[in-house]
Amino acid sequence: MIKIQKKDFNVENEIKTIKDKYSSIGAVNVFIGFVRDYNDKRDVKFLELEVYEQMAIKELSKIQQRAIKKFKLIDSLIIHRYGKLYVNDKIVLVVCFSVNRKNSFEATKFIMDYLKKDAPFWKKETYDFGSNWI
Amino acid sequence: MIKIQKKDFNVENEIKTIKDKYSSIGAVNVFIGFVRDYNDKRDVKFLELEVYEQMAIKELSKIQQRAIKKFKLIDSLIIHRYGKLYVNDKIVLVVCFSVNRKNSFEATKFIMDYLKKDAPFWKKETYDFGSNWI
Amino acid sequence: MKIKYFAWIKDITKKDVEILNSNYPKNIEELKKYLTLMYPSLEKHISKDILRYAINMEYNSKNPSLQENDEIAVFPPVSGG
Amino acid sequence: MKIKYFAWIKDITKKDVEILNSNYPKNIEELKKYLTLMYPSLEKHISKDILRYAINMEYNSKNPSLQENDEIAVFPPVSGG
């Protein structure tokens, strides 16, 4: 499942919704990205996250399907937020559900690596003085 | 932080408690182990998880401190349950908090690998007929 | 043809989207010429090959022919996650 | 000396813990002899080197001398997580 949304998400609830469907899941690996206070030597006040939404859904689905096949996942969830996000806000959630732990780790890493490379999202950081597309 | 407990845990709340302390955290990797319905070709009904509690705390602290140092973590949390656990119940939670994502992934994997090898926990599986220490 | 602009490209073009009718670029090379002509500040980024081009929401590194009803997107390297 | 047993070792010894006073094993090799004598079913596991021994909650692969107030633990390979 792919979700592109403005609103926050609850990690426990998001995992539970999928986990409840499959008793065969033994391992779940999760990555959560947060807005941090300090990047590239500057204090960040907030981010504006822009997305090319239809293409993001298409790209993330493609990456997720490759991960599911390559690492024999039972299921996977990607949530990526957009809009104005403050320090300590969550940005992204990737969850990979599998029978054994090794595959869940490798799949989450695989998805994050391709997401960073190909998913059409852009961050604009605002500092005390000025702002910058990163 | 290390917790050895009978009761379940809420992943969102456990992460939030630590995350709220540090605005420098950008990446959180999480592993959750669940009791699955099928292991070693047999249908599992429930597990009994035994622990040598004082040694488990000592070993897990040692593993966690090594991970924090090796992967420059901001913080880390390990929760391991014991007692009677049913299919779909959570068994273990490992969370690694860092500035960048690569370290959080590697640290969680490192902790899980050593936990599986050294932490004094033992599982007894009960099937429709009989049971087995694994 | 619809052309969409994202992130700081949009700050240069001063628009999110534009529609071209009969006189649309017939391939990516022609698109680059069009962008250079219309938005001179984009030239250095185009010549350094920094921009990415998506055709109907798919990346494309070749120089395929473009159709009148295509949706083209022009954007800088992505930075999500 | 306190000796603790875990998992299926406990099913063989029929106890979680035992206390030895004056006549306690002075090192891990003596402990193995003691276990073999008291619990003959453990012999094959000891000879195959399957069991693990912790001294005061630390793994120990050498054969250090044991003290009267030590807590020893005898257990099979772990299977948590």
Side-chain angles (χ1 to χ4, degrees), chain A residues 50-52 54-55 58-59 62 80 91-92 112 115-123 133-134, chain C residues 4-8 10-11 52 54 56-59 71-73 75-81:
Chain A
E50 188 176 335
V51 59
Y52 182 10
Q54 285 170 284
M55 182 170 172
K58 217 167 163 176
E59 275 300 310
K62 215 186 289 176
H80 203 303
I91 304 170
V92 64
M112 278 307 301
L115 183 155
K116 284 271 182 188
K117 202 175 135 295
D118 290 335
F121 292 89
W122 301 272
K123 284 178 189 144
W133 285 102
I134 59 168
Chain C
K4 289 186 161 191
Y5 302 106
F6 292 92
W8 53 261
K10 214 169 52 182
D11 298 341
R52 304 188 79 173
N56 299 320
M57 287 158 271
E58 300 278 354
Y59 285 110
E71 176 172 312
I72 311 299
F75 50 79
V78 304
S79 58

Side-chain angles (χ1 to χ4, degrees), chain B:
Chain B
M1 185 181 285
I2 309 288
K3 301 184 191 179
I4 312 280
Q5 64 188 45
K6 275 197 170 175
K7 65 176 195 289
D8 193 20
F9 47 82
N10 179 298
V11 178
E12 174 75 21
N13 297 348
E14 296 293 344
I15 292 171
K16 187 173 160 50
T17 304
I18 295 181
K19 173 65 188 87
D20 280 355
K21 291 194 251 173
Y22 313 96
S23 295
S24 54
I25 293 170
V28 178
N29 190 262
V30 182
F31 179 81
I32 313 160
F34 286 89
V35 181
R36 60 175 198 264
D37 57 1
Y38 196 71
N39 192 33
D40 204 16
K41 299 180 188 167
R42 297 179 81 169
D43 281 325
V44 174
K45 287 182 69 180
F46 61 86
L47 287 186
E48 284 158 287
L49 239 153
E50 189 177 333
V51 57
Y52 181 13
E53 189 167 349
Q54 286 170 284
M55 182 171 171
I57 291 172
K58 218 167 163 177
E59 275 299 312
L60 291 176
S61 301
K62 215 186 291 176
I63 295 167
Q64 189 176 57
Q65 287 311 311
R66 282 172 63 197
I68 287 172
K69 203 175 163 193
K70 187 174 167 77
F71 301 103
K72 298 179 181 61
L73 301 182
I74 296 168
D75 209 336
S76 167
L77 169 68
I78 303 174
I79 304 180
H80 203 302
R81 295 176 70 189
Y82 66 95
K84 198 165 178 177
L85 297 176
Y86 289 86
V87 172
N88 297 322
D89 280 351
K90 303 187 197 97
I91 304 170
V92 65
L93 176 74
V94 175
V95 191
C96 291
F97 302 81
S98 62
V99 176
N100 297 310
R101 81 181 188 286
K102 190 165 179 286
N103 283 345
S104 72
F105 271 102
E106 290 179 1
T108 311
K109 191 174 180 305
F110 175 94
I111 290 175
M112 277 308 301
D113 288 348
Y114 279 93
L115 184 155
K116 283 272 183 187
K117 203 177 134 294
D118 290 336
F121 291 89
W122 301 271
K123 284 178 188 145
K124 187 182 191 175
E125 289 181 344
T126 293
Y127 318 103
D128 279 332
F129 299 98
S131 60
N132 205 21
W133 286 101
I134 58 167

Side-chain angles (χ1 to χ4, degrees), chain B residues 55 59 114 116-119 122, chain D residues 4 9 28 31 35 45 49-54 59-60 72-78:
Chain B
M55 182 171 171
E59 275 299 312
Y114 279 93
K116 283 272 183 187
K117 203 177 134 294
D118 290 336
W122 301 271
Chain D
K4 288 184 161 192
I9 308 292
I28 295 290
L31 173 70
L35 294 172
H45 306 296
D49 211 18
I50 282 171
L51 303 194
R52 304 189 78 173
Y53 308 93
Y59 285 109
N60 212 303
I72 311 300
V74 180
F75 50 80
V78 305

Side-chain angles (χ1 to χ4, degrees), chain D residues 35-62:
Chain D
L35 294 172
T36 306
L37 192 69
M38 293 292 288
Y39 313 104
S41 311
L42 283 181
E43 185 175 9
K44 60 181 173 192
H45 306 296
I46 292 171
S47 63
K48 282 185 196 157
D49 211 18
I50 282 171
L51 303 194
R52 304 189 78 173
Y53 308 93
I55 304 168
N56 300 320
M57 287 157 269
E58 300 278 354
Y59 285 109
N60 212 303
S61 54
K62 299 204 183 69

